[in-house]
């Protein structure tokens, strides 16, 4: 998706931010984790720019950051699948969904959704 289209999507969706119920737990957790990762990287970058070793950022801190990614991927997969389900419920066809997701074909969007659902089901069953 082109950067202009992404910015437009953010602008459209920001209208929902005024809603006090917008702090939906899965999305909120993802937002908080991403902010924590950003803080870690900023702290590391600040020390690198000053020419000093990032003494405030320890290996344990970096390890803690790395440990967040699997849960974040799972949250993103769940959110994406739920948005695709909502799109289909609102009668969007796979071609429209593909276009919004930046895929070249409706088949690619449909296959992406099927992979997401398979992964989520395997995680639910403890296979992954």
């Amino acid at each position: 998706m082109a950067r202009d289209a992404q910015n437009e999507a953010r602008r459209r969706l920001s209208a929902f931010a005024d809603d006090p119920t917008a702090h939906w737990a899965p999305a909120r957790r993802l937002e908080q984790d991403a902010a924590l990762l950003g803080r870690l990287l900023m702290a590391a970058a600040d020390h690198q720019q000053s020419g000093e070793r990032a003494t405030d950022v320890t290996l344990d801190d970096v390890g803690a950051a790395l440990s967040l990614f699997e849960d974040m991927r799972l949250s993103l997969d769940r959110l994406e699948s739920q948005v695709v389900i909502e799109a289909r419920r609102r009668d969007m066809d796979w071609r429209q969904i593909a276009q919004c997701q930046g895929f070249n074909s409706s088949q690619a969007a449909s296959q992406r959704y099927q992979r997401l659902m398979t992964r989520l089901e395997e995680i639910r069953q403890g296979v992954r």
Side-chain angles (χ1 to χ4, degrees):
M1 182 183 284
R3 185 154 316 277
D4 289 341
Q6 290 173 338
N7 289 336
E8 175 61 16
R10 287 183 183 98
R11 187 197 63 74
R12 287 184 64 89
L13 297 174
S14 68
F16 295 110
D18 295 332
D19 182 357
T21 64
H23 296 290
W24 189 57
R28 185 71 177 144
R29 170 73 51 116
L30 189 58
E31 178 184 26
Q32 290 169 339
D33 287 350
L36 292 172
L37 294 170
R39 285 187 203 162
L40 171 93
L41 293 174
M42 285 178 54
D46 286 346
H47 288 287
Q48 287 178 347
Q49 288 177 355
S50 67
E52 299 174 13
R53 185 174 166 88
T55 55
D56 292 339
V57 178
T58 67
L59 288 178
D60 288 339
D61 296 331
V62 174
L66 288 171
S67 73
L68 296 178
F69 282 99
E70 186 57 30
D71 191 47
M72 291 175 72
R73 280 187 194 93
L74 178 59
S75 295
L76 279 172
D77 288 352
R78 285 182 178 146
L79 289 169
E80 183 178 351
S81 67
Q82 290 169 344
V83 172
V84 171
I85 289 168
E86 185 63 26
R88 295 293 292 154
R89 187 169 44 228
R90 293 176 182 266
D91 295 326
M92 283 182 80
D93 62 37
W94 287 109
R95 181 188 51 78
Q96 292 169 307
I97 293 169
Q99 183 179 16
C100 292
Q101 289 183 308
F103 293 127
N104 292 326
S105 70
S106 58
Q107 182 181 9
S110 177
Q111 288 174 345
R112 164 82 178 161
Y113 173 72
Q114 289 303 318
R115 283 192 304 273
L116 282 173
M117 295 307 290
T118 298
R119 180 174 188 265
L120 291 170
E121 183 60 21
E122 287 174 350
I123 290 168
R124 188 188 71 75
Q125 292 181 3
V127 175
R128 279 191 184 212

